[in-house]
Short mmCIF file of all heavy atoms in Angstrom, two decimals:
data_model
loop_
_atom_site.label_atom_id
_atom_site.label_comp_id
_atom_site.label_asym_id
_atom_site.label_seq_id
_atom_site.Cartn_x
_atom_site.Cartn_y
_atom_site.Cartn_z
N SER F 280 -3.36 24.20 6.88
CA SER F 280 -3.98 22.90 6.63
C SER F 280 -3.00 21.77 6.97
O SER F 280 -3.39 20.78 7.59
CB SER F 280 -4.39 22.82 5.16
OG SER F 280 -4.88 21.55 4.87
N GLN F 284 -3.37 18.74 9.59
CA GLN F 284 -3.20 17.34 9.16
C GLN F 284 -2.18 16.62 10.05
O GLN F 284 -2.37 15.45 10.38
CB GLN F 284 -2.75 17.30 7.70
CG GLN F 284 -3.82 17.75 6.73
CD GLN F 284 -3.30 17.76 5.30
OE1 GLN F 284 -2.85 16.74 4.80
NE2 GLN F 284 -3.36 18.90 4.66
N ARG F 286 -1.49 17.30 13.19
CA ARG F 286 -2.11 17.03 14.49
C ARG F 286 -3.09 15.87 14.36
O ARG F 286 -3.22 15.04 15.27
CB ARG F 286 -2.83 18.29 14.98
CG ARG F 286 -1.83 19.35 15.47
CD ARG F 286 -2.45 20.72 15.50
NE ARG F 286 -3.58 20.80 16.39
CZ ARG F 286 -4.62 21.64 16.20
NH1 ARG F 286 -4.64 22.45 15.17
NH2 ARG F 286 -5.60 21.65 17.05
N ALA F 287 -3.78 15.79 13.23
CA ALA F 287 -4.74 14.71 13.01
C ALA F 287 -4.02 13.36 12.95
O ALA F 287 -4.44 12.39 13.57
CB ALA F 287 -5.54 14.96 11.73
N GLU F 290 -2.83 12.19 16.28
CA GLU F 290 -3.88 11.66 17.16
C GLU F 290 -4.45 10.33 16.69
O GLU F 290 -4.66 9.42 17.49
CB GLU F 290 -5.02 12.69 17.27
CG GLU F 290 -6.07 12.27 18.27
CD GLU F 290 -7.25 13.21 18.30
OE1 GLU F 290 -7.06 14.42 18.16
OE2 GLU F 290 -8.38 12.71 18.45
N ASN F 291 -4.71 10.21 15.40
CA ASN F 291 -5.38 9.01 14.90
C ASN F 291 -5.01 8.78 13.43
O ASN F 291 -5.71 9.26 12.53
CB ASN F 291 -6.90 9.17 15.07
CG ASN F 291 -7.66 7.90 14.76
OD1 ASN F 291 -7.18 7.04 14.02
ND2 ASN F 291 -8.85 7.78 15.31
N LEU F 294 -7.86 7.25 11.10
CA LEU F 294 -8.92 8.21 10.76
C LEU F 294 -8.39 9.27 9.81
O LEU F 294 -9.11 9.74 8.93
CB LEU F 294 -9.48 8.85 12.05
CG LEU F 294 -10.69 9.75 11.85
CD1 LEU F 294 -11.87 9.00 11.24
CD2 LEU F 294 -11.13 10.39 13.17
N ALA F 295 -7.12 9.61 9.98
CA ALA F 295 -6.52 10.60 9.08
C ALA F 295 -6.52 10.08 7.65
O ALA F 295 -6.86 10.80 6.71
CB ALA F 295 -5.09 10.90 9.54
N ARG F 296 -6.17 8.81 7.48
CA ARG F 296 -6.18 8.22 6.12
C ARG F 296 -7.58 8.18 5.56
O ARG F 296 -7.82 8.52 4.40
CB ARG F 296 -5.60 6.80 6.17
CG ARG F 296 -4.07 6.77 6.23
CD ARG F 296 -3.58 5.41 6.70
NE ARG F 296 -3.96 4.33 5.81
CZ ARG F 296 -4.18 3.08 6.20
NH1 ARG F 296 -4.06 2.75 7.47
NH2 ARG F 296 -4.51 2.15 5.33
N ILE F 297 -8.53 7.78 6.41
CA ILE F 297 -9.93 7.73 5.99
C ILE F 297 -10.38 9.11 5.52
O ILE F 297 -11.16 9.26 4.58
CB ILE F 297 -10.82 7.25 7.16
CG1 ILE F 297 -10.58 5.76 7.41
CG2 ILE F 297 -12.30 7.52 6.91
CD1 ILE F 297 -11.16 5.27 8.74
N ASN F 298 -9.86 10.12 6.19
CA ASN F 298 -10.25 11.49 5.90
C ASN F 298 -9.56 12.05 4.65
O ASN F 298 -9.79 13.18 4.27
CB ASN F 298 -9.88 12.36 7.12
CG ASN F 298 -10.72 13.57 7.20
OD1 ASN F 298 -11.91 13.49 7.43
ND2 ASN F 298 -10.11 14.71 6.98
N GLY F 299 -8.71 11.25 4.04
CA GLY F 299 -8.06 11.68 2.80
C GLY F 299 -6.71 12.33 3.01
O GLY F 299 -6.14 12.91 2.08
N ILE F 300 -6.19 12.25 4.23
CA ILE F 300 -4.88 12.85 4.50
C ILE F 300 -3.79 11.93 3.97
O ILE F 300 -3.80 10.73 4.24
CB ILE F 300 -4.69 13.09 6.03
CG1 ILE F 300 -5.69 14.15 6.51
CG2 ILE F 300 -3.26 13.50 6.35
CD1 ILE F 300 -5.71 14.35 8.01
N ARG F 303 2.01 10.16 4.01
CA ARG F 303 3.41 10.26 3.55
C ARG F 303 3.86 11.73 3.49
O ARG F 303 4.99 12.06 3.84
CB ARG F 303 3.57 9.60 2.18
CG ARG F 303 3.60 8.08 2.29
CD ARG F 303 3.50 7.42 0.95
NE ARG F 303 2.23 7.77 0.30
CZ ARG F 303 1.69 7.09 -0.69
NH1 ARG F 303 2.29 6.03 -1.17
NH2 ARG F 303 0.54 7.45 -1.22
N GLU F 402 -1.20 13.96 28.69
CA GLU F 402 -2.49 13.44 29.10
C GLU F 402 -2.32 12.00 29.54
O GLU F 402 -1.48 11.28 29.01
CB GLU F 402 -3.48 13.50 27.94
CG GLU F 402 -3.88 14.92 27.63
CD GLU F 402 -4.61 15.02 26.30
OE1 GLU F 402 -4.94 13.98 25.73
OE2 GLU F 402 -4.80 16.15 25.85
N GLU N 101 -5.86 3.05 -2.24
CA GLU N 101 -5.39 3.45 -0.91
C GLU N 101 -6.47 4.27 -0.22
O GLU N 101 -7.16 5.09 -0.87
CB GLU N 101 -4.10 4.26 -1.03
CG GLU N 101 -2.93 3.39 -1.44
CD GLU N 101 -1.62 4.13 -1.27
OE1 GLU N 101 -1.26 4.43 -0.14
OE2 GLU N 101 -0.97 4.40 -2.29
N THR N 102 -6.59 4.05 1.08
CA THR N 102 -7.69 4.67 1.83
C THR N 102 -7.74 6.18 1.64
O THR N 102 -8.82 6.74 1.44
CB THR N 102 -7.53 4.33 3.33
OG1 THR N 102 -7.52 2.91 3.45
CG2 THR N 102 -8.67 4.88 4.15
N HIS N 103 -6.58 6.83 1.67
CA HIS N 103 -6.61 8.29 1.59
C HIS N 103 -7.04 8.81 0.22
O HIS N 103 -7.37 9.99 0.07
CB HIS N 103 -5.25 8.89 2.01
CG HIS N 103 -4.17 8.77 0.98
ND1 HIS N 103 -3.31 7.72 0.93
CD2 HIS N 103 -3.82 9.60 -0.02
CE1 HIS N 103 -2.47 7.90 -0.07
NE2 HIS N 103 -2.76 9.03 -0.66
N TYR N 112 -16.26 7.72 4.65
CA TYR N 112 -16.47 6.60 5.57
C TYR N 112 -16.38 7.09 7.00
O TYR N 112 -15.45 7.80 7.36
CB TYR N 112 -15.40 5.52 5.27
CG TYR N 112 -15.23 4.45 6.31
CD1 TYR N 112 -16.32 3.76 6.84
CD2 TYR N 112 -13.96 4.09 6.76
CE1 TYR N 112 -16.15 2.77 7.81
CE2 TYR N 112 -13.77 3.11 7.71
CZ TYR N 112 -14.87 2.45 8.23
OH TYR N 112 -14.70 1.48 9.18
N GLU N 117 -13.75 5.98 17.63
CA GLU N 117 -12.68 6.95 17.36
C GLU N 117 -12.89 7.60 16.00
O GLU N 117 -11.99 7.63 15.16
CB GLU N 117 -11.31 6.28 17.45
CG GLU N 117 -11.02 5.75 18.85
CD GLU N 117 -9.64 5.14 18.98
OE1 GLU N 117 -8.87 5.18 18.02
OE2 GLU N 117 -9.34 4.62 20.06
N ASN N 118 -14.08 8.12 15.80
CA ASN N 118 -14.42 8.68 14.48
C ASN N 118 -14.35 10.19 14.41
O ASN N 118 -14.78 10.80 13.43
CB ASN N 118 -15.78 8.16 14.02
CG ASN N 118 -16.87 8.41 15.03
OD1 ASN N 118 -16.70 9.25 15.92
ND2 ASN N 118 -17.97 7.71 14.92
N VAL N 119 -13.83 10.81 15.49
CA VAL N 119 -13.53 12.25 15.43
C VAL N 119 -12.10 12.46 15.91
O VAL N 119 -11.55 11.62 16.61
CB VAL N 119 -14.48 13.09 16.33
CG1 VAL N 119 -15.92 13.01 15.85
CG2 VAL N 119 -14.39 12.69 17.80
N PHE N 120 -11.53 13.59 15.51
CA PHE N 120 -10.21 13.96 16.05
C PHE N 120 -10.48 14.69 17.36
O PHE N 120 -10.84 15.86 17.38
CB PHE N 120 -9.45 14.83 15.06
CG PHE N 120 -9.11 14.10 13.79
CD1 PHE N 120 -9.77 14.39 12.61
CD2 PHE N 120 -8.15 13.11 13.78
CE1 PHE N 120 -9.47 13.70 11.44
CE2 PHE N 120 -7.84 12.42 12.63
CZ PHE N 120 -8.52 12.71 11.45
N ALA N 121 -10.32 13.92 18.47
CA ALA N 121 -10.80 14.39 19.77
C ALA N 121 -10.10 15.65 20.26
O ALA N 121 -10.70 16.48 20.92
CB ALA N 121 -10.64 13.26 20.79
N LYS N 122 -8.82 15.81 19.91
CA LYS N 122 -8.07 16.97 20.41
C LYS N 122 -8.29 18.21 19.54
O LYS N 122 -7.90 19.30 19.91
CB LYS N 122 -6.58 16.65 20.48
CG LYS N 122 -6.23 15.61 21.54
CD LYS N 122 -4.74 15.34 21.52
CE LYS N 122 -4.40 14.15 22.38
NZ LYS N 122 -3.02 13.70 22.19
N GLU N 127 -12.19 22.56 13.36
CA GLU N 127 -11.02 21.97 12.72
C GLU N 127 -11.35 20.60 12.13
O GLU N 127 -10.85 20.24 11.05
CB GLU N 127 -9.88 21.83 13.74
CG GLU N 127 -9.24 23.17 14.09
CD GLU N 127 -8.14 23.06 15.14
OE1 GLU N 127 -8.32 22.28 16.12
OE2 GLU N 127 -7.14 23.76 15.03
N LEU N 131 -10.92 19.73 8.19
CA LEU N 131 -10.19 18.56 7.67
C LEU N 131 -11.05 17.77 6.68
O LEU N 131 -10.53 17.15 5.76
CB LEU N 131 -9.75 17.66 8.82
CG LEU N 131 -8.48 18.08 9.54
CD1 LEU N 131 -8.27 17.23 10.78
CD2 LEU N 131 -7.27 17.97 8.63
N LEU N 134 -10.65 18.85 3.00
CA LEU N 134 -9.25 18.92 2.60
C LEU N 134 -9.07 18.94 1.08
O LEU N 134 -8.21 19.64 0.55
CB LEU N 134 -8.55 17.68 3.17
CG LEU N 134 -7.07 17.72 3.41
CD1 LEU N 134 -6.71 18.84 4.35
CD2 LEU N 134 -6.62 16.39 3.98
N HIS N 135 -9.88 18.16 0.38
CA HIS N 135 -9.69 18.04 -1.07
C HIS N 135 -10.64 18.94 -1.87
O HIS N 135 -10.63 18.89 -3.10
CB HIS N 135 -9.84 16.58 -1.49
CG HIS N 135 -8.75 15.72 -0.92
ND1 HIS N 135 -7.44 15.80 -1.36
CD2 HIS N 135 -8.74 14.83 0.09
CE1 HIS N 135 -6.69 14.97 -0.65
NE2 HIS N 135 -7.46 14.37 0.24
N ARG N 177 -18.19 15.93 9.34
CA ARG N 177 -16.87 15.99 8.72
C ARG N 177 -16.84 15.18 7.42
O ARG N 177 -16.28 15.62 6.41
CB ARG N 177 -15.80 15.45 9.68
CG ARG N 177 -14.39 15.79 9.22
CD ARG N 177 -13.31 14.98 9.93
NE ARG N 177 -13.53 13.58 9.73
CZ ARG N 177 -13.84 12.73 10.70
NH1 ARG N 177 -13.94 13.15 11.94
NH2 ARG N 177 -14.06 11.46 10.43
#
Side-chain angles (χ1 to χ4, degrees):
Chain F
S280 175
Q284 291 177 57
R286 286 161 61 210
E290 186 185 323
N291 188 336
L294 186 60
R296 281 163 62 210
I297 288 167
N298 205 67
I300 294 173
R303 283 170 299 199
E402 289 168 9
Chain N
E101 289 192 66
T102 302
H103 76 269
Y112 165 49
E117 297 183 4
N118 54 19
V119 295
F120 295 107
K122 292 179 190 169
E127 287 178 320
L131 278 172
L134 204 58
H135 294 289
R177 193 195 58 246

